[in-house]
Amino acid sequence: MTKVLVATVKPFAGEAVKQIQDIFDQAGYECRFLEKYDGQEALKAAVVDAEALIIRSDKITEEILSAAPQLKIVVRAGAGYDNVDLSAATSHGVVVENTPGQNSNAVAELALGMMVFQARNHFNGKPGSELKGKKLGIQAYGHVGKNVARIAKGFGMEVCAFDPFVSKESIEADGVEVYEDLEKMYADCDYISLHIPANQHTIKSINYALLSKMKKGATLVNTARKEVIDEEGLLKIFQDRDDFKYISDIAPDNREVIEKDFADRCFFTPKKMGAQTAEANINAGIAAAKQIIAFFEKGDTTFKVN
Ligand code: 3PG
């Protein structure tokens, strides 16, 4: 019996757990859940006989891979795989996959929800502003960016995007204006929404120089990764400009300083929750389970990222 471990510090919704279990039961696989575990030692102990692993933002390091001699495949139920040491996985002969697009609507809805929350002064009852007629710049037009564009249009926003990896034609086909100059997009927009992955090219790329290009009164929205922000630059822009606002689903390490001095111009969710919906958990969890079965039964590696 193929042994699958679902290791999630942040557990899937109950319905997703049930559906994942059903899929593996029907396929004749053994599936165990390790939820809300405390530290890497617990994960190390649990992976010892696992042949397949489903994770979320759980960290898969060389140490974990060394503790899992039977492991053949890790599926990150979600989009970003910066939590997996890809080269270590490759050298252990482990395939790493993600489930692109499966949780993107949930993240996009949160981005727009946070924008409304900020525009309405954290729902404090004082007059705020509307999203209608405002210009939104989407940085990276992948699955989440595309959903953000769709929802923002429903709000009556003017939507544009910057993404050198996506064809101009396909972005324009969504009725979204294309920017080839990122600084110009920052200068023109009332809202900038980040949807870039965290990698060697993007880490700390949202820096003081770029932020200082932002339009007066603009809001930066981050539902991507905290690592893409240069936090010193972020603090400096808050200090320099009393019109700058930052709302994020991934609080910066200097959260306390920013919240203390600029409370009305920032908002951070208590815990990363962009993909925390039953629907997103079901979609990503089922996709991950099916990808594992397709891998073992048919050698399918369509979603391999290493
Ligand atoms: C992703 O990369 O899919 C999102 O950031 C969601 O991450 P999570 O599964 O840890 O909530």
Side-chain angles (χ1 to χ4, degrees), residues 43-106:
L43 181 55
K44 255 169 87 175
V47 293
V48 77
D49 59 351
E51 291 160 84
L53 187 56
I54 295 179
I55 52 160
R56 293 185 63 179
S57 288
D58 306 77
K59 285 204 169 17
I60 303 303
T61 59
E62 163 63 40
E63 211 187 337
I64 298 297
L65 292 159
S66 296
Q70 309 301 327
L71 194 62
K72 311 281 182 306
I73 180 167
V74 176
V75 181
R76 194 285 189 234
Y81 43 85
D82 47 306
N83 49 320
V84 181
D85 185 336
L86 292 188
S87 56
T90 304
S91 57
H92 280 270
V94 173
V95 167
V96 181
E97 298 187 0
N98 66 347
T99 64
Q102 300 293 344
N103 59 16
S104 51
N105 181 65

Side-chain angles (χ1 to χ4, degrees), residues 10 56-57 76-80 103 107 223-225 272 275-276:
K10 193 168 58 181
R56 293 185 63 179
S57 288
R76 194 285 189 234
N103 59 16
V107 179
T223 51
R225 290 290 182 272
K272 184 175 157 216
Q276 276 297 62

